[in-house]
Amino acid sequence: MVILRLRGDYMKILRIISIFLALTITLPVLLLIYLGLFIYKSPQAFSSRFLDSIILTLVSSAIAVMLEFFLFTPLAYYLARENDALIDSLVDIPASIPHPIVGVALVLLGSPATPIGAFLNTIGIRFFDTFLGLTSALILVSAPVYIKTAKSYFESMNEWPEIFSYSLGVSRLKTFIFVVLPISIKGLLNATLISIARAMSEFGSVAIVAYYVLDYPFRGLSPASVLIYEYFSYYGPQTAVTASSILIIIGLIIILTTRIIEQLSKKELKRI
């Protein structure tokens, strides 16, 4: 009883410390929202240009994450079932390097000065200041987040439905498509939302490879994070803070949705 009481007191103290530390992390963000929406309220942050840049950011992030779902879900499942340290390490590389390097790499990859870039240019594929370059950068920086989150979900799943499927002579591919995927939708949706939040917040790589997007229908627009940097450089903090607040609110909505889906996924996993 004494040990349990001490453990209970310890957990209460730890909870207080945890709340304080969490508030310390979130305080700058909350202050930014307060200043942006209630103090500065810069009209320029509500201009059509910034709203269009948010649409560009949302569309490019959504497309990037949809491609990640189709391309990297099998990889996440493979890593969850097989202990492949080499591939697991390769997946971590884009997340472990400064993101401006990702932008530089894409610019060089599409440059006519390189053999690969010269070939890509002959077939009309360009990365610099294009929607393709923006989406490619977002995939490179957010795919590791999607893969790791989806992998963790697959690892937490009960494997008995798969084992039962194998015992009936069903192949691993069909088991993955018709057994694993249908019961993983909520978990994978959670992974996509976390990944899209990461993609929306990207600045370093997109500022290099797609500072402006010159493709229709986004011709002349910058991603929201780049435009906020531009506002801060040219107009000072008022406009940048208000614009940041709007983007933060959108991110918070995505995070809240993610938490709801995560709780639903946990309840579903307990039933499986």
Side-chain angles (χ1 to χ4, degrees):
M1 287 295 293
V2 175
I3 294 175
L4 290 175
R5 190 177 302 166
L6 289 173
R7 183 179 181 276
D9 292 339
Y10 169 75
M11 293 306 294
K12 288 179 181 178
I13 295 172
L14 187 59
R15 185 172 187 272
I16 293 171
I17 295 173
S18 299
I19 292 173
F20 172 76
L21 293 175
L23 288 174
T24 302
I25 294 172
T26 56
L27 185 60
V29 177
L30 296 175
L31 178 62
L32 202 66
I33 293 174
Y34 172 72
L35 291 175
L37 299 182
F38 298 101
I39 303 299
Y40 294 145
K41 294 183 289 187
S42 172
Q44 194 162 1
F46 296 93
S47 65
S48 59
R49 184 189 177 198
F50 183 66
L51 296 179
D52 287 342
S53 76
I54 290 179
I55 294 173
L56 169 62
T57 299
L58 289 172
V59 170
S60 57
S61 299
I63 291 175
V65 170
M66 282 192 292
L67 291 172
E68 289 168 18
F69 174 83
F70 289 107
L71 293 174
F72 298 119
T73 299
L75 174 58
Y77 176 73
Y78 170 77
L79 291 175
R81 295 293 180 262
E82 303 290 338
N83 187 21
D84 197 322
L86 175 61
I87 296 180
D88 211 1
S89 300
L90 291 175
V91 167
D92 287 332
I93 289 177
S96 61
I97 61 175
H99 287 172
I101 295 176
V102 174
V104 172
L106 281 173
V107 170
L108 291 177
L109 182 65
S111 171
T114 64
I116 296 177
F119 170 73
L120 292 176
N121 276 258
T122 59
I123 59 175
I125 296 178
R126 295 176 176 81
F127 294 114
F128 187 66
D129 283 347
T130 64
F131 186 80
L132 175 62
L134 172 61
T135 307
S136 300
L138 295 180
I139 290 174
L140 286 174
V141 299
S142 63
V145 176
Y146 175 80
I147 293 169
K148 293 297 183 181
T149 307
K151 176 191 170 188
S152 297
Y153 181 80
F154 286 134
E155 287 174 339
S156 66
M157 284 178 57
N158 189 335
E159 293 186 42
W160 278 110
E162 299 169 57
I163 296 172
F164 180 71
S165 178
Y166 299 148
S167 70
L168 297 176
V170 181
S171 68
R172 296 200 69 170
L173 178 60
K174 287 185 177 179
T175 298
F176 173 68
I177 295 173
F178 297 108
V179 177
V180 176
L181 284 181
I183 62 177
S184 305
I185 294 301
K186 287 189 176 69
L188 294 177
L189 182 58
N190 179 56
T192 59
L193 289 173
I194 293 173
S195 184
I196 200 172
R198 174 64 194 88
M200 285 179 57
S201 66
E202 176 59 17
F203 172 77
S205 62
V206 300
I208 291 177
V209 73
Y211 195 98
Y212 295 106
V213 173
L214 301 180
D215 297 331
Y216 179 85
F218 301 109
R219 185 181 298 275
L221 289 177
S222 299
S225 59
V226 173
L227 192 56
I228 289 171
Y229 169 75
E230 192 174 296
Y231 282 161
F232 186 82
S233 300
Y234 289 103
Y235 305 113
Q238 288 86 354
T239 303
V241 168
T242 305
S244 300
S245 302
I246 297 171
L247 200 59
I248 290 170
I249 294 296
I250 295 173
L252 289 176
I253 293 172
I254 294 174
I255 291 172
L256 179 61
T257 307
T258 301
R259 292 294 172 262
I260 294 172
I261 294 174
E262 188 176 2
Q263 293 303 315
L264 293 174
S265 300
K266 288 179 180 178
K267 291 180 181 178
E268 192 163 308
L269 280 173
K270 290 178 181 178
R271 292 198 300 266
I272 297 174

